[in-house]
């Protein structure tokens, strides 16, 4: 478990690991980044309470470095990646290991079940579950069990790291997708099991949500830049939405003062562009209204949550695609 500034979530996350309904031996290795809250104190207390909790230090604070340090410090033949912002279902480990050997896979992942502890966090969780929020990926919305391009978090046979290597430490985000690519290129199987469920608590303020979305977009653009298999149509739709919406808003502002000077065909095109922001606003309202997980208040909050996810992600993706991520950090979590 890579850990950075998670004092409010760490104890519950570790407890969900140690209380797994799994008969085999368990340990949890926490890779501690340079937190600015009480995370290190909470981690030290957890380690003093239970010898199965081990600590390694990750001075750089970057997720792939922490993951590699923790994996190398672990001793068991199965490696389960977990997140400090999440809580595992009690049967997660047993089900994941059973699936790993049942389908002869080397990496198994399941559903990221976004949850909330307050109305805004629940609105963000509802947006994550919406096909209009995070693009309809199987680990957000479910789907049939089967081979997958990538796996959320991941349950691994330990030997796969000897075979294909560890996480790429140059990828500060999206390193899980790149590792899965190497696993698949080695002829091994990455598997999605919808019965595996991990509770995840997303950001609970708009500023940190926007920062996370921007960083995610930048690194997704970096992946698309590096690897031909790293992009798909669903990654191109948010940038097209931003361009269309921006041009449409400009058209609404500028067009009335210049319309009489433009040829009819140009006026037609400009009027067509005006539809884009209306269409996007309608889509946001539709997505919020259709959410089955949100209360009335949370649906109202989703009207702001969805653009806060879409626009920073799209801008980040374009910049990452053109220039690379260039060490972009998630400023919603890391202050310096």
């Amino acid at each position: 478990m890579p850990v950075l500034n998670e004092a409010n979530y760490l104890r519950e996350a570790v407890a969900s690991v140690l209380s797994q309904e799994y008969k085999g031996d368990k340990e949890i290795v926490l890779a501690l980044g340079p937190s600015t809250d009480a995370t290190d104190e909470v981690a030290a207390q957890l380690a003093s309470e239970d010898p199965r909790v081990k600590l390694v230090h990750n001075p750089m604070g970057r997720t792939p470095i922490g993951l590699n340090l923790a994996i190398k410090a672990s001793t068991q033949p199965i490696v389960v990646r977990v997140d400090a912002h999440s809580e595992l279902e009690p049967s997660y480990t047993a089900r994941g290991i059973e699936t790993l050997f049942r389908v002869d896979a080397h990496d198994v992942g399941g559903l990221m079940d976004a949850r909330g502890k307050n109305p805004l966090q629940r609105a963000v969780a509802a947006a994550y579950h919406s096909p209009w929020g995070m693009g309809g990926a199987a680990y957000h919305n479910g789907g049939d069990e089967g081979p997958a391009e990538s796996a959320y978090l991941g349950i691994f046979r330990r030997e796969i790291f000897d075979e294909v290597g560890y996480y790429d430490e140059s990828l500060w985000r999206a390193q899980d997708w790149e590792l899965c690519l190497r696993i698949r290129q080695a002829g091994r199987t990455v598997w999605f099991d919808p019965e595996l469920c991990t509770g995840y608590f997303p950001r609970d303020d708009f500023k940190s949500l926007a920062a996370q979305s921007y960083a995610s977009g930048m690194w997704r653009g970096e992946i698309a830049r590096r690897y031909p298999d790293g992009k798909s149509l669903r990654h191109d739709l948010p940038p097209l939405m931003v361009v269309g919406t921006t041009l449409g808003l400009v058209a609404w502002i500028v067009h009335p003062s210049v319309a009489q000077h433009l040829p009819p065909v140009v006026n037609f095109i400009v009027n067509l562009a005006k539809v884009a922001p209306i269409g996007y606003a309608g889509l946001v309202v539709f997505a919020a209204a259709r959410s089955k997980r949100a209360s009335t208040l949370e649906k109202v909050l989703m009207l702001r949550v969805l653009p806060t996810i879409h626009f920073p992600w799209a801008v980040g993706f374009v910049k990452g695609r053109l220039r690379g991520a260039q060490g972009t950090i998630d400023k919603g979590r890391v202050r310096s």
Side-chain angles (χ1 to χ4, degrees), residues 80-81 87-89 92-93 95-97 99-100 102 107-114 129 137-148 150-156 176 180 190-200:
V80 183
R81 176 181 174 177
E87 293 180 7
L88 303 183
E89 291 297 314
Y92 183 87
T93 301
R95 170 73 187 195
I97 293 175
T99 299
L100 196 69
R102 171 171 55 86
D107 181 15
V108 171
L111 288 169
M112 186 185 84
D113 183 19
H129 283 287
Y139 68 85
H140 285 299
N141 302 297
D144 296 331
E145 182 178 16
S150 184
Y152 175 59
L153 298 180
I155 299 174
F156 304 88
D176 48 354
C180 288
V190 177
W191 193 264
F192 171 71
D193 182 355
E195 295 299 318
L196 288 176
C197 185
T198 305
Y200 171 78

Side-chain angles (χ1 to χ4, degrees), residues 143-267:
D144 296 331
E145 182 178 16
E149 179 182 282
S150 184
Y152 175 59
L153 298 180
I155 299 174
F156 304 88
R157 301 187 196 214
R158 186 180 196 87
E159 62 265 24
I160 196 62
F161 296 102
D162 296 325
E163 184 175 346
V164 306
Y166 290 79
Y167 287 95
D168 185 339
E169 296 181 358
S170 71
L171 292 171
W172 297 9
R173 296 183 71 100
Q175 65 282 145
D176 48 354
W177 184 91
E178 189 276 338
L179 175 60
C180 288
L181 174 64
R182 281 184 278 132
I183 292 173
R184 291 186 286 110
Q185 288 176 338
R188 304 301 189 180
T189 298
V190 177
W191 193 264
F192 171 71
D193 182 355
E195 295 299 318
L196 288 176
C197 185
T198 305
Y200 171 78
F201 295 96
R203 305 300 167 86
D204 58 1
D205 67 85
F206 288 107
K207 184 177 180 181
S208 61
L209 177 64
Q212 181 187 40
S213 297
Y214 176 76
S216 295
M218 283 285 283
W219 285 104
R220 189 72 241 188
E222 176 71 39
I223 287 289
R225 179 184 174 93
R226 290 193 194 188
Y227 305 102
D229 294 340
K231 56 184 180 296
S232 68
L233 177 61
R234 67 186 177 89
H235 296 135
D236 294 326
L237 291 178
L240 291 175
M241 172 272 298
V242 169
V243 171
T245 302
T246 302
L247 291 177
L249 290 173
V250 171
W252 276 104
I253 296 169
V254 176
H255 188 232
S257 62
V258 300
Q260 66 272 24
H261 305 298
L262 299 175
V265 66
V266 175
N267 279 318

